[in-house]
Amino acid sequence: MKHLSLAALTMAAVLGTPAAALDLSAMSAADKAAFGEAVKAYLMENPEVLVEAINKLEERQQAAQADNDKVLVQTNADDIFHFAGDWVGGNPEGDVTMVEFIDYKCTYCKKAYEVVDEVLKKDGKIRFVVKEFPILSDQSVLAARFAVATRQVAGDAAYEKVHDALMAVRGDITLDSLQRLAEEQKIDAKAVLAQMNSEEVTSVLRANAQLAERMAIAGTPAFVVGGQLLRGYAPAEVMAQIVADERG
């Protein structure tokens, strides 16, 4: 589909004709100049037309992005929803899957954590998948490696406790603080710390990073809910509506 420029949309609004019907290439230089002056004069008298044209262009761009995102989700569905390296929470037998790309040093991820918790508890039928995607700092990587290593060493229940604890951290994340966290959660700190730099942990983070690149996800949080991709934070009512939309 041919993408129309803001100028074409504006001209169409001025003339009251479909933008696709405009053929500027058929105009002479003098006609183009006269036409341009007419458009300028019209916009000066009717600036709301320009606002309408801009809004229309944005709507078309958003629709095109949504369509592209759906294709990305379909193409990468197995890696998004069924990657063995990811922890699955919520209701594992739920009818809608919500996947979140997270970074433990991301302020909006911590804010989204509360929203997701609220939505999961109220709904009860959402399968929730966490994708460790540390991109903000070395501390992000340290925390993600610790979380993944915890799951590999101590299992899903231990991972969930560590995930919740890391989301609550507001200060620096260091090896010492992680060791204390493991000890507080009754997890074998020595075994987890030894696992952190293993290829098994690295492979999980690498796979999630490669998936994010294919999905054009460059920030956190990012969500895939059913067939929809949401880049960024959204309040609880928006997340609940997206889930409802996926159920039809």
Side-chain angles (χ1 to χ4, degrees), residues 7-248:
L9 288 169
T10 303
M11 291 176 185
V14 172
L15 296 175
T17 60
L22 290 172
D23 186 5
L24 299 183
S25 64
M27 292 184 181
S28 66
D31 288 340
K32 288 181 181 179
F35 183 71
E37 288 300 319
V39 171
K40 179 179 179 182
Y42 183 87
L43 291 177
M44 293 299 291
E45 295 178 5
N46 304 275
E48 67 277 5
V49 172
L50 183 59
V51 175
E52 292 173 5
I54 291 173
N55 290 340
K56 189 65 175 180
L57 179 61
E58 289 178 346
E59 288 176 6
R60 291 185 178 184
Q61 290 174 335
Q62 290 171 0
Q65 181 65 64
D67 288 342
N68 183 62
D69 285 346
K70 288 180 181 179
V71 173
L72 288 174
V73 172
Q74 292 171 358
T75 303
N76 296 281
D78 284 344
D79 291 335
I80 295 170
F81 300 115
H82 304 292
F83 177 49
D86 297 330
W87 174 78
V88 178
N91 181 348
E93 304 301 324
D95 59 352
V96 173
T97 297
M98 176 187 296
V99 179
E100 183 182 6
F101 290 75
I102 64 105
D103 183 314
Y104 292 113
K105 293 298 291 183
C106 167
T107 300
Y108 278 97
C109 289
K110 295 180 184 297
K111 189 175 180 181
Y113 169 79
E114 298 175 358
V115 169
V116 169
D117 186 59
E118 176 184 342
V119 173
L120 292 180
K121 287 179 178 177
K122 284 186 176 180
D123 188 293
K125 296 185 294 182
I126 299 173
R127 177 175 177 266
F128 179 56
V129 178
V130 175
K131 286 195 172 291
E132 301 285 348
F133 183 44
I135 56 175
L136 294 179
S137 69
D138 290 342
Q139 291 187 32
S140 302
V141 175
L142 197 65
R145 283 188 171 279
F146 179 77
V148 175
T150 296
R151 180 169 183 258
Q152 293 177 353
V153 168
D156 287 342
Y159 172 91
E160 183 174 8
K161 292 179 181 179
V162 163
H163 174 75
D164 292 344
L166 287 171
M167 278 299 180
V169 172
R170 294 297 184 269
D172 289 338
I173 296 174
T174 66
L175 284 174
D176 287 342
S177 70
L178 292 174
Q179 180 171 344
R180 289 195 298 273
L181 191 160
E183 292 170 350
E184 290 169 1
Q185 299 298 331
K186 310 300 182 184
I187 298 168
D188 187 341
K190 184 177 180 181
V192 172
L193 294 177
Q195 180 71 6
M196 283 175 60
N197 290 319
S198 68
E199 175 56 28
E200 290 85 354
V201 170
T202 299
S203 66
V204 171
L205 300 183
R206 183 191 302 119
N208 285 342
Q210 290 172 343
L211 173 62
E213 184 176 5
R214 295 196 302 274
M215 299 285 293
I217 293 173
T220 55
F223 295 87
V224 178
V225 184
Q228 299 186 50
L229 174 58
L230 174 64
R231 295 179 173 86
Y233 168 83
E237 57 270 21
V238 173
M239 297 297 292
Q241 185 58 55
I242 294 174
V243 171
D245 291 343
E246 285 301 301
R247 288 189 175 122

